[in-house]
Amino acid sequence: MPDDLNWAIGGEAGDGIDSTGKIFAQALSRAGRHVFTSKDFASRIRGGYTAYKVRTSVDRVESVVDRLDVLIALTQRTVDENMDELHEGSVIIYDGERTTMQDLEIPEGMIGLDVPLKSLAEDAGGAIMRNVVALGAACEVAAFPIDNLAESLEKRFGGKGEAIVENNKRAAELGQEYVQEHYDHEFDYDLETTDNDYVLLNGDEAIGMGALAAGCRFYSGYPITPATNVMEYLTGRIERYGGTVIQAEDELSAINMALGAARAGARAMTATSGPGIDLMTETFGLVATTETPLVIVDVMRSGPSTGMPTKQEQGDLNMLLYGGHGEIPRFVLAPTTVSECFHKAVEAFNLAEKYQTPVYLASDLALAVTEQTFPPEEFDMDAVEIDRGNVVSEDAIDEWSNEKGQFQPHLATEDGVSPRAFPGMAGGAHMTTGLEHDALGRRTEDTDVRIEQVEKRTRKVETAREREDWSPREFGDEDADTLVVSWGSNEGAMREAMGFLEEEDVSVRFLSIPYLFPRADLSADIEAAEEVIVVECNATGQLADVIEHDALTRVKRINKYNGVRFKADELADDVKRALGESAEVTA
Amino acid sequence: MSSQVRFTDFKSDKQPTWCPGCGDFGTMNGMMKALANTGNDPDNTFVVAGIGCSGKIGTYMHSYALHGVHGRALPVGIGVKAANPNLEVMVAGGDGDGYSIGAGHFVHAVRRNMDMTYVVMDNRIYGLTKGQFSPTSREDFETSTSPDGTHQSPVNPLALALAAGGSFIAQSFSSDAQRHAQIVQEAIEHPGFGFVNVYSPCVTFNDVDTYDYFRDSLVDLGEDEDYDETDYDQATEVILDSEKEYQGVIYRDDESVPYNERMGLTEDLSDIPSGAPDDAMDLVREFY
Ligand SMILES: Cc1ncc(C[n+]2csc(CCOP(=O)(O)OP(=O)(O)O)c2C)c(N)n1
Ligand code: SF4
């Protein structure tokens, strides 16, 4: 058996599945092993099948596989739900004294370990510890030192007093001893420990941590699965830096509060999932046209509508790229791993402020609930740089004011980026509006000013295209005939899949796309490949559409955006001009 | 903040496009006077405006300002104040903006009691969209979308505010210039959410709730020596009295503590270091 173990605990929601799984995952991580966790959960609080799965290896693990080696089953349904992943030699730990588990039939070739979890827990001090008894039994099966589990129990229960910690350690020992005494199987596992230091965290936490590192001082949000953890992480931590979290009355309010805070000069963020993005869309346009830097996190889940709140999907790409009426400059970033959630959050704040543009950070449920181990240096705080863009100082405010001394927050500069003055700054008082406005921020319907402002906002994106690196993450054989492209959380699974493919002599080149807008032009890569495959967690292939679109022949374009409809004669001129002919049609 | 600030410093050089005679002129002048009288200046003031004729106010004033989307000015103001409590934050909009599309935010902003001022220009009609009934329109009010009345009772914004736990509830009349400015000034001085519903007649679309109507029916609580604005029961009586229109500070809770104070928000959050905080590695180590 490889050193790679797939372990799970499953039962009913409310059975303490999550905390038990986390204790085990932390024990493994602290023992210097890599961990990758995943969760099966239903959208209800009590009752309903739920499971916490841990994959662990000394080498990095970056995905889940279709295999379960050790299963702690607190209910019959846990076994049924996982039958497909169980295999010959799989170990099932269960409590045969439990009425619902008495008739459990262990399939041929699998090993059933009937351990009286509840009564052993009572011996250790209370039935509540039955899951810990099971963990002790699992340590015996996996040959994982129970001392490492004890350490994790200390961390978990230390705050509740010495006695509770001791009882839990005893419960684990009783579980281990029971298996030693009653079963004489030779288990194949040997979970070695290493001296490596790892931290274990999920994507929501990594986004929150990235936000704090990047100087985010204001967060407003409305609870929604699977984005709520971002708010829960920031609450209680952001205060250390003087910042605040506001739980708003709804997403409309959340994004408007964040907009207000951003205009007051704070680095501000909100996070939600698809239904919340829908509600935020009107204000998203306001954020963009007022050129307010704002980070909006979309932790995607299955849609449409309330869809499947606890299931994975990458279905919001079109919404993030195109959502909102009118034309809205924006950036769309999509982290591809848990640690990239941190890095992309930091980057999102810098992009937002450098270009005074809203930034969508598209995470997904798989990243949000996956806990993954990393060496702490992966989150190198010294490398975090904060770039606030063109914030003017009080001394320099005159340079950005017009001849009447009025500050120009929407000045159409060459690179499209305007000066920014924070409220409170003397001489900087200005307004801005969601209506089309002039350099002073005041409403206008002047066609020339309209054109100037549209072009200015668009130019910011062009400037960013030139100044920033939008390259994909590249893996595999550069010269392979097959090109695989994906975005978001699929990266780990695809990388591991490449290993399997290699064993069968299938070599692929893999581009993982973290920047969805602006995005790298893949036309050349696509032309160079014989086969192009786009991998994404949705039904219609939203990234595939975009890639096909990008690689099409370039078309000539005629565009008008001064607020006046096309006129026939002018249009005829435009067509001739587009065809390279000199234009002079008269009506 | 200097004492030399005059209320005209809050005027922008943009000419209002309001109809001649619109109540919003008086409402705005009073707001500017109140801001100047309370020692504010354009550089420390942030005005958030709603959408509607009333919402144009941000354009005609000079200060830091944002003109947002319909109904959602209040949360913007809350965000501004949370991020920099040193700023004087004033939110303004119409009755449609505040009590219809923005009704949810209104109730929650009252509850939150952030130290800011909310001025609603109540003309009992939708002005900007040219004369449809609004949430404060009378039940028998005939408009293009209510040819035989609205078939629903009007919202009582003062009652809404009181029920939501409002700590400062007032009403004024835009053409009673001095009283109006004084009431807004008290709202600004109140530590907490100062809410003022201002009767600002629409001369173009509302021929019922006119200057004459308000002038004739208005009772000034400031002239009633027996009226105690900190008395909840008296306030309730006035607010639920559908026979008369009142002006003055109707209710004030001097014990209430504003949200920003409860949350310990005192800092200007725009000031951040150029890299991660010094102790940022602690954030990582938590995950051992
Ligand atoms: C989402 C949305 N719906 C509708 C409108 C159109 N609209 C603009 S102003 C307004 C009503 C304004 O009424 P009120 O707040 O009473 O302001 P007034 O014009 O009377 O001052 C409406 C419905 C809009 N701008 N946005
Ligand atoms: S329509 Fe009514 S509310 Fe609007 S500006 Fe004219 S008078 Fe004022």
Side-chain angles (χ1 to χ4, degrees), chain A residues 155 198 200 213 237 240 242 247 249 257 263 265 386 388 404 406 422 424-428 430-434 442, chain B residues 13 43 63-67 72 75-76 79-80 105 112 269-270 273-277 279-281 284 286-288:
Chain A
K155 184 181 152 100
Y198 294 132
L200 179 71
R237 289 183 180 81
R240 285 186 216 164
Q247 181 177 318
E249 57 269 23
M257 285 181 184
R263 289 228 63 98
I386 291 177
R388 306 213 65 182
K404 285 167 143 181
Q406 295 162 310
F422 296 155
M425 201 176 267
H430 65 267
M431 76 134 0
T432 186
T433 168
R442 294 171 178 187
Chain B
D13 58 1
D43 289 328
S63 71
Y64 283 92
L66 185 126
H67 182 211
R72 326 238 170 258
V76 176
V80 170
H105 302 312
R112 196 174 299 281
L269 301 182
S270 69
S274 58
D279 61 352
M281 263 336 264
V284 182
E286 263 183 62
F287 292 104
Y288 267 125

Side-chain angles (χ1 to χ4, degrees), chain B residues 160-175:
Chain B
L160 261 187
L162 192 74
S167 67
F168 183 100
I169 301 169
Q171 192 153 263
S172 64
F173 177 33
S174 72
S175 93

Side-chain angles (χ1 to χ4, degrees), chain A residues 69-180:
Chain A
D69 307 313
V70 177
L71 173 66
I72 297 172
L74 298 185
T75 57
Q76 171 75 48
R77 179 154 176 213
T78 307
V79 180
D80 302 340
E81 288 277 347
N82 292 285
M83 201 47 87
D84 289 351
E85 292 185 9
L86 291 164
H87 55 85
E88 194 170 329
S90 285
V91 176
I92 301 171
I93 298 169
Y94 67 104
D95 185 348
E97 286 179 4
R98 195 176 168 138
T99 44
T100 55
M101 302 287 283
Q102 275 165 358
D103 303 326
L104 183 65
E105 276 179 32
I106 301 295
E108 182 111 27
M110 294 185 196
I111 302 162
L113 301 183
D114 180 354
V115 182
L117 304 177
K118 186 159 169 246
S119 29
L120 290 175
E122 280 163 354
D123 292 347
I128 194 165
M129 294 181 295
R130 66 183 175 155
N131 294 358
V132 178
V133 176
L135 285 180
C139 285
E140 178 60 21
V141 174
F144 180 67
I146 198 150
D147 288 349
N148 288 94
L149 178 63
E151 233 182 275
S152 190
L153 290 169
E154 260 165 44
K155 184 181 152 100
R156 179 87 192 182
F157 298 113
K160 297 190 173 175
E162 190 63 21
I164 303 257
V165 173
E166 284 313 310
N167 288 351
N168 273 284
K169 285 189 194 168
R170 183 73 200 127
E173 279 163 16
L174 288 178
Q176 181 181 42
E177 285 162 13
Y178 191 89
V179 177
Q180 281 167 355

Side-chain angles (χ1 to χ4, degrees), chain B residues 18-19 22 53 123 202-205:
Chain B
W18 286 320
C19 307
C22 175
C53 294
N123 54 14
C202 169
V203 293
T204 305
F205 297 112

Side-chain angles (χ1 to χ4, degrees), chain A residues 282, chain B residues 24 51-54 70 94-97 101 123 125-129:
Chain A
E282 186 196 19
Chain B
D24 293 351
I51 296 289
C53 294
S54 45
H70 195 25
D95 42 297
D97 189 77
I101 190 166
N123 54 14
I125 189 116
Y126 284 0
L128 193 69
T129 48

